[in-house]
Amino acid sequence: MTTPSHPVHPGPPPHDPPGPGTAPHARRTPPGRAGVREHAPDGPTSRPRPLLPRPARSEEERDDGVVRSVAELVARVRDGGYGPDPRGERIALAFTTAQAVRHEGRAGGYRNEVLSLRLAAAVGSCAVEPGTLPATALDEVVGASVADLLDHPLRPVRIAALDAYLAHVRPHTPAHGARSYPLPAGGSLDRSRARARAVVDLLPRHGPRRVLVVGVVNSLLEQLRRRGIDYLPCDLKGGATEWGEPLHTDALALLEECDAVLASGMTLGNGTFQPLLDHAAATAKPLVMFAQTGSAVLPRFLGAGVSAISAEPYPFFWLDGGPGVIHRYGGPL
């Protein structure tokens, strides 16, 4: 979420402008119903709901090993499909990470806040809208079992707990399909651009013509511009990109206008991941996820609509200037 950033004020392009002739313009559409935002936890107008009872699965769904919804993934975790009983796995540590950023050369800044839960050596995370996490949330989750937290009334807690469990039992290693990608040491903007290259490289090599970007990160848009790829930028908060292009607020209304999707893992945290997954599965469009939120959750959806993932578990690239690593799944080799 990741954390993905959304611009605060429109303005001129960053220091290194896109190459000549490769600066597409986002299409304008009137704002519609609520869309997808990078950091959109459940708030007063969107109260989180406890997970529904475990869905019934057909024989085909049970046999092919593919999960097609978060609810089904949670059911498999509860059933022991990934190993240890979550009733016996307890969260030892809970913490939040908050930051404010305004990169040199950028016209606007952004804020991030992330809830993280530690299970043994693994950390699971979910971004939240800054300032909206209840003050009692951390005290409520420490010492609780993963099974209990999967029923927590706050969706970010549920996603962070699921992420921590899956990071514990399915770490980002080659044995589980991950390919490590080193991020160089350097400034925050340099590292953001390096990560953006790694994410955009996961799109098909012979490239989509127009990409729906769900959860706007200016460095990602910059990469698309450099490669001559048109895009539709979408963020619930609205506003404009670094290049003054209006941000759409309804991602779902634009799905028919793109031939690939780049989406933030925060769609897990605001409950809008499922429509993107269903659309990609039904149309075979590439769906590339870039994830600090749910970095261990999203690899479970490879083959069910997700075509590639850039997974970035805690600690995130923006926390320090040293070398780091992200983990890529799927996409071109």
Side-chain angles (χ1 to χ4, degrees), residues 199-222:
V199 171
V200 175
D201 281 347
L202 292 173
L203 289 167
R205 282 203 179 97
H206 298 294
R209 291 170 298 175
R210 179 177 295 129
V211 176
L212 174 62
V213 181
V214 184
V216 167
V217 180
N218 279 311
S219 293
L220 286 179
L221 302 186
E222 183 180 54

Side-chain angles (χ1 to χ4, degrees), residues 280-301:
T283 62
K285 288 180 184 177
L287 171 58
V288 176
M289 305 296 301
F290 53 97
Q292 294 174 346
T293 291
S295 68
V297 174
L298 289 166
R300 313 284 76 81
F301 293 98

Side-chain angles (χ1 to χ4, degrees), residues 73-84:
L73 178 59
V74 169
R76 292 195 182 191
V77 167
R78 290 190 184 281
D79 288 342
Y82 293 96

Side-chain angles (χ1 to χ4, degrees), residues 107-121:
Y110 59 88
R111 290 190 60 208
N112 290 324
E113 186 173 337
V114 184
L115 169 68
S116 297
L117 306 181
R118 183 162 180 174
L119 174 63

